[in-house]
Amino acid sequence: MRRGLAASLAGLAIAMTLSGCATTSRMLGITQPDPLAAKAALQLQKLQADPQVAQRAPDALLAAVDAVHAAQHPGGGAWYAHHLAFVAAKRVQIARALTTASEQHQAYRALVAKRDSLGGGNSSIATLAQQPVALPPPTVVAATPLPQPPAAVAAPTPSSPPPKLVAASTLPTAPEPEPEPEPEPAIKGPFSGTHGALLLMPASSFTARERLTSGARDALYQLLPSLAQFPQAKILITGPVAGHVAAVHKQLVDFGVPEWRLTEQHGGDAVEIRFQGEDQTR
Amino acid sequence: MSPSFPSLPAGAWLAPMVALVLVACAGTPVVTPAQAIQQAATQLDQAQRHYVEDYDSPTLKQARAKLAAAHKALAAQQPKHARALAQEADLSIELATIQAQASRNTANRKHVQRQVDTLEQLSHEPPAGGAP
């Protein structure tokens, strides 16, 4: 009798525990698979047919296989079947996304190696600066023209020497030519820099979440040739909002500017990017 | 002489049997619903800090909706639903993060491609006359 009691109690314990397991209803085949499970299974077939997935994301592929199998043999009710199907769909998408990310990263590394072999590398921006022909020239304000002599002479261009006057002795004494004004930065519009700043970025350059707008990102990209002109100079990023300054810092690093060149500082009314210190060729 | 099992009280067999069955059901998750929700919330915060939303806003929006539904289920004393929804939120965040990384890799590749194109152009250009 004691053995019988023990056996029945043990059986009761087993039954109570098993009833909480999804395995039970699955074994009994109570719940039908969610329609999403069939779509996930179809996507999985495509994944399995792609050798890149097995090579680049084998663990994710295995997880997708398990998830799809679980979704095709669900249990625990319709809501649980839908949950399993959702998980399966996501696992399949994750495997695909991991494969794509790996492919793009490999292509990126190959291009970096090619860039290095062409003489680029960490100083690729500086390398480009050594050959300014390929860079878009900064917008330069034309030098103040000299008083026009009777024989009209074309205004001098920034890259050519001023032409000689035909009869210098008959001309009034030309005033001392004004020194060529500092060239304007390449960026125009609301981002124009003044007072020695390379770039000024008002609050409108950032979103409510303290991220750069696409226009601001483009303006930073256009600033790169100016930064490359002095490859050893430190760059100071100043701004009233720490999140804005950090966003600019991060974007410049993403563009390839070495971290050691960048310094952040709090202050000012708008984010300002300038070379740090007087000696820009340090 | 054949061995004989010791004669034990009925209750002495109960605990080992329950333990054996619990081990057999190892697939049952051990994370509580509240912990699962907290983990998903932490992952969501990490994703937002890393600008994942810039690249994949819809998936992250879906994750937020799932997480909110998980909170509601937990408050409504539905732990299984809450755990399932937290897992779905977690998967959505993971997918959004990976897709954001893929987009970044693509952007980086294009950026370096432009540099390579420029360098190749420079290497093919004839030297300017008189220029240093």
Side-chain angles (χ1 to χ4, degrees), chain B:
Chain B
M1 188 172 177
S2 60
S4 59
F5 289 105
S7 174
L8 295 172
W13 290 102
L14 187 61
M17 291 305 297
V18 170
L20 185 65
V21 174
L22 281 176
V23 167
C25 287
T28 306
V30 296
V31 176
T32 66
Q35 287 174 338
I37 291 174
Q38 184 56 42
Q39 284 174 6
T42 302
Q43 292 297 323
L44 183 61
D45 183 61
Q46 282 288 96
Q48 287 171 336
R49 283 173 185 275
H50 288 87
Y51 302 99
V52 170
E53 196 158 13
D54 284 359
Y55 297 94
D56 193 1
S57 176
T59 309
L60 221 55
K61 199 182 283 186
Q62 185 184 49
R64 277 199 210 95
K66 294 286 182 184
L67 200 54
H71 277 293
K72 280 185 184 172
L74 192 63
Q77 307 292 328
Q78 294 175 327
K80 289 184 183 175
H81 284 78
R83 185 186 287 118
L85 287 164
Q87 184 186 10
E88 292 178 15
D90 212 30
L91 282 171
S92 296
I93 295 163
E94 185 179 346
L95 176 62
T97 303
I98 296 169
Q99 285 176 338
Q101 189 57 50
S103 298
R104 280 201 195 95
N105 290 349
T106 304
N108 286 338
R109 180 185 58 78
K110 289 181 180 175
H111 175 58
V112 179
Q113 181 69 64
R114 281 195 291 269
Q115 293 179 341
V116 167
D117 291 344
T118 302
L119 287 169
E120 284 180 335
Q121 181 187 355
L122 290 172
S123 67
H124 289 134
E125 275 187 5

Side-chain angles (χ1 to χ4, degrees), chain A residues 234-238 249 259 261-265 276:
Chain A
K234 298 288 182 67
I235 300 161
L236 180 63
I237 309 168
T238 314
H249 183 129
E259 275 273 19
R261 291 191 67 182
L262 302 172
T263 310
E264 295 182 13
Q265 195 172 322
Q276 191 173 18

Side-chain angles (χ1 to χ4, degrees), chain A residues 62-140:
Chain A
L62 282 174
V65 169
D66 289 342
V68 168
H69 181 76
Q72 289 175 323
H73 305 88
W79 76 270
Y80 195 68
H82 180 72
H83 164 67
L84 290 177
F86 183 93
V87 169
K90 283 289 179 262
R91 287 283 180 209
V92 169
Q93 290 172 4
I94 285 171
R96 172 57 69 191
L98 275 172
T99 305
T100 303
S102 173
E103 286 173 338
Q104 291 297 318
H105 184 71
Q106 185 176 11
Y108 164 74
R109 296 305 310 172
L111 281 171
V112 167
K114 187 175 182 182
R115 183 193 67 186
D116 293 350
S117 69
L118 289 172
N122 287 335
S123 59
S124 63
I125 295 176
T127 301
L128 291 174
Q130 292 165 10
Q131 303 285 344
V133 175
L135 297 174
T139 303
V140 177

Side-chain angles (χ1 to χ4, degrees), chain A residues 187-219:
Chain A
I187 301 94
K188 289 288 187 182
F191 305 117
S192 296
T194 59
H195 307 293
L198 295 167
L199 186 63
L200 275 179
M201 304 176 74
S204 57
S205 308
F206 303 91
T207 66
R209 292 178 185 266
E210 296 182 346
R211 288 166 200 165
L212 290 165
T213 61
S214 55
R217 205 172 289 132
D218 290 343

